[in-house]
């Protein structure tokens, strides 16, 4: 994994890919699939996400105030679905799904070795957690895997139907 | 435009497309380009979005507490960029960009005729507006254009570089 400039983080999340969210709850690692996230600020990079209070990860995220957002390329689609369909409450979901946790630098939650980018996050605002399960987080450290060139991401439409990234259009724009 | 069930709204926004946001400020219509949005609840459909306080639309959205989120297909890419690069402060941006406002049913902000879906929204929580420009909104009425079949959407990576929807993967999943 190579360090990614924090000012470039938005370009990974703004397109709206399916991501994996990892947590560490008193040493127990877990992961879940997540599509409800958005950027909130460019730099320092802030993002928001909604993690259902029904999810086992919710309690770990709320208590530890840390997570990793990992970006899987489309080749990992079956693992993404598996991670979204099983609770980590009573199992080691990393082992079940076949993904590899790696130690992060600034949070206890693990990176995912197979993902092309990993974002270490700390919760900075939990005012909307009770009502909407909505967390605001700062990305404090970011990594990319330089061996995964031009990864195509997944976009979830519901019930396991994913759009894969297609063509690129480049237009002259000052929109950051 | 045909009415869309509110329970289906999430399937439009969860994939993370670029959208247009329209407002009406004491009769003056405006629109802007937006990628920083996410779903917050399935039903009634809630979403969150971040609208920069530098944008002219910000004041209209905060004051009126209403907007329309309109989804453009990829053929509208040049208009999407134009809408994102010009302020509506001193011009009629609909006329400049060449998009057609239509009256909405439940909000003063207009629908956009050329978009394949239009979501009428009311702000329901503005606790995070002052700090993050983050609005939580409820979709109170939703429309689709049945003549636009399988529209491909745009996903912004920054500076006018867009990913267009590509292939579809369908996997068995209970993830809604």
């Amino acid at each position: 994994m190579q360090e990614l400039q924090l000012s470039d983080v938005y370009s990974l999340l703004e397109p709206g890919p399916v991501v994996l969210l990892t947590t560490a709850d008193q040493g127990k690692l877990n992961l879940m699939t997540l599509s409800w996230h958005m950027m909130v600020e460019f730099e320092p990079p802030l993002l928001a996400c909604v993690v259902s209070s029904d999810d086992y990860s919710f309690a770990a995220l709320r208590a530890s105030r840390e997570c990793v957002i990992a970006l899987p390329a489309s080749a990992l689609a079956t693992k993404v679905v598996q991670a979204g369909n099983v609770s980590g409450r009573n199992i080691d979901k990393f082992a079940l799904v076949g993904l590899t946790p790696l130690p992060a630098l600034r949070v206890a939650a693990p990176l995912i070795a197979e993902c092309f980018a990993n974002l270490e996050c700390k919760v900075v605002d939990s005012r909307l957690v009770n009502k909407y399960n909505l967390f605001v987080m700062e990305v404090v450290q970011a990594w990319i895997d330089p061996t995964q060139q031009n990864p195509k991401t997944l976009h979830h439409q519901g019930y396991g139907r994913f759009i894969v990234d297609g063509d690129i259009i480049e237009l002259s724009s000052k929109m950051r």
Side-chain angles (χ1 to χ4, degrees), chain A residues 18-71:
Chain A
V18 173
V19 301
L20 300 169
L21 183 151
T22 81
T23 48
D25 187 10
Q26 299 173 327
K28 182 177 176 188
L29 308 184
N30 195 21
L31 77 156
M32 63 172 282
T33 299
L34 177 77
S35 287
W36 291 10
H37 62 77
M38 66 174 176
M39 288 304 297
V40 170
E41 186 52 87
F42 288 109
E43 203 174 356
L46 301 180
L47 60 93
C49 68
V50 173
V51 173
S52 168
S53 55
D54 296 337
D55 288 320
Y56 180 58
S57 301
F58 177 84
L61 178 59
R62 187 161 61 170
S64 69
R65 298 178 70 83
E66 294 183 350
C67 69
V68 166
I69 301 280
L71 281 78

Side-chain angles (χ1 to χ4, degrees), chain A residues 7 47 96:
Chain A
S7 56
L47 60 93
L96 179 80

Side-chain angles (χ1 to χ4, degrees), chain A residues 110-142:
Chain A
L111 313 179
I112 300 180
E114 292 79 3
C115 286
F116 70 87
N118 280 275
L119 311 174
E120 302 185 19
C121 300
K122 289 180 186 272
V123 173
V124 293
D125 200 309
S126 46
R127 275 182 282 170
L128 298 193
V129 170
N130 282 346
K131 187 152 186 193
Y132 303 110
N133 302 328
L134 188 159
F135 297 84
V136 180
M137 314 196 288
E138 179 178 343
V139 179
V140 294
Q141 181 76 39

